[in-house]
């Protein structure tokens, strides 16, 4: 598995990301076991499951994804956190309302999370991770807050073309490209 694995298809309308925490923290080869985190989203249908039932469900899903090695493993510990209706809803123009890593009002306050502005370009859990590194670098007084952050790969050609088209339309329209929302109201 990769350090982050987006998955779907186990429950109608529910997605999940499996994080291999041992890879993210640089585990040495030969250390026994793994630490995994599974984040479900749009998962209100799972909220009623007991901790035991949810743990068994996750283990079954992971067995399907990762195969025999996972099937032969056992869960030693599990922590369940339920956050109903906790998905961020972005909207056109919402980026301008996101805070910077360092507070503009309080000199000793820093922000990290997927709603923080970043030069990186990642989103969701990856963005939360990256902005955590940025915030830590800022707290440590590092000039380059992106130190230790891997750059994203260049956009695929069709994505790059789409970005260029939107940028051109924005310039022609004085800085704002129309969105579906503009046609609904």
């Amino acid at each position: 598995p990769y350090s982050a694995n987006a998955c779907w298809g186990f429950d109608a309308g529910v997605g999940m990301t499996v994080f291999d925490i041992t890879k993210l923290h640089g585990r040495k080869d030969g250390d026994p076991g793994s630490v995994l985190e599974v984040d479900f989203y749009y998962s209100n249908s799972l909220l009623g499951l007991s901790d035991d039932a949810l743990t068994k469900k996750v283990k079954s899903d992971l067995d399907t994804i990762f195969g025999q090695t996972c099937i032969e493993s056992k869960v030693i510990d599990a922590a369940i956190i339920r956050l109903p209706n906790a998905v961020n809803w972005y909207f056109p123009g919402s980026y301008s309302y996101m805070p910077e890593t360092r507070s503009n009002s309080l000199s000793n306050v820093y922000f990290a999370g997927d709603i923080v502005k970043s030069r990186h370009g990642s989103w969701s859990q990856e963005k939360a991770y990256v902005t955590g590194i940025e915030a830590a670098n800022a707290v440590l007084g590092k000039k380059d807050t992106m130190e230790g952050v891997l750059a994203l790969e260049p956009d695929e050609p069709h994505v790059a073309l789409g970005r260029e088209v939107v940028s051109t339309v924005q310039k022609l329209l004085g800085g704002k490209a129309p969105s579906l929302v503009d046609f609904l109201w």
Side-chain angles (χ1 to χ4, degrees), residues 116-134:
V116 175
K117 289 181 182 176
S118 173
R119 297 175 300 174
H120 188 259
S122 54
W123 285 98
S124 194
Q125 291 99 339
E126 294 82 6
K127 185 175 182 188
Y129 178 77
V130 166
T131 58
I133 292 173
E134 288 183 76

Side-chain angles (χ1 to χ4, degrees), residues 97-109:
Y97 296 106
M98 295 178 180
E100 303 284 344
T101 301
R102 185 178 191 135
S103 171
N104 293 325
S105 304
L106 303 168
S107 63
N108 63 342
V109 174

Side-chain angles (χ1 to χ4, degrees), residues 1-173:
Y2 296 102
S3 55
N5 306 272
C7 311
W8 56 91
F10 292 95
D11 302 278
V14 177
M16 67 179 177
T17 302
V18 178
F19 295 96
D20 186 342
I21 305 301
T22 48
K23 280 189 179 179
L24 289 171
H25 289 279
R27 178 182 76 173
K28 293 178 177 58
D29 288 336
D31 287 348
S34 295
V35 177
L36 302 178
E37 175 182 332
V38 179
D39 290 357
F40 288 100
Y41 31 93
Y42 303 107
S43 57
N44 286 345
S45 62
L46 305 178
L47 289 173
L49 295 176
S50 69
D51 286 0
D52 186 55
L54 194 52
T55 301
K56 287 177 181 173
K57 181 211 175 336
V58 169
K59 174 69 166 89
S60 174
D61 291 352
L62 295 176
D63 289 349
T64 300
I65 295 167
F66 297 124
Q68 195 60 39
T69 303
C70 190
I71 291 168
E72 294 170 2
S73 69
K74 61 181 178 177
V75 176
I76 295 173
D77 189 23
I80 310 289
I81 300 172
R82 290 175 175 80
L83 302 167
N85 300 314
V87 175
N88 289 327
W89 293 99
Y90 299 102
F91 58 91
S94 64
Y95 186 81
S96 65
Y97 296 106
M98 295 178 180
E100 303 284 344
T101 301
R102 185 178 191 135
S103 171
N104 293 325
S105 304
L106 303 168
S107 63
N108 63 342
V109 174
Y110 300 84
F111 299 103
D114 65 345
I115 62 163
V116 175
K117 289 181 182 176
S118 173
R119 297 175 300 174
H120 188 259
S122 54
W123 285 98
S124 194
Q125 291 99 339
E126 294 82 6
K127 185 175 182 188
Y129 178 77
V130 166
T131 58
I133 292 173
E134 288 183 76
N137 286 338
V139 168
L140 294 172
K142 293 185 178 182
K143 189 172 186 168
D144 180 11
T145 59
M146 297 298 284
E147 182 180 320
V149 176
L150 298 177
L152 291 177
E153 294 180 9
D155 287 333
E156 295 170 351
H158 64 284
V159 174
L161 176 64
R163 286 185 192 275
E164 186 61 35
V165 168
V166 169
S167 178
T168 301
V169 170
Q170 284 177 326
K171 288 175 187 169
L172 291 172
L173 297 176

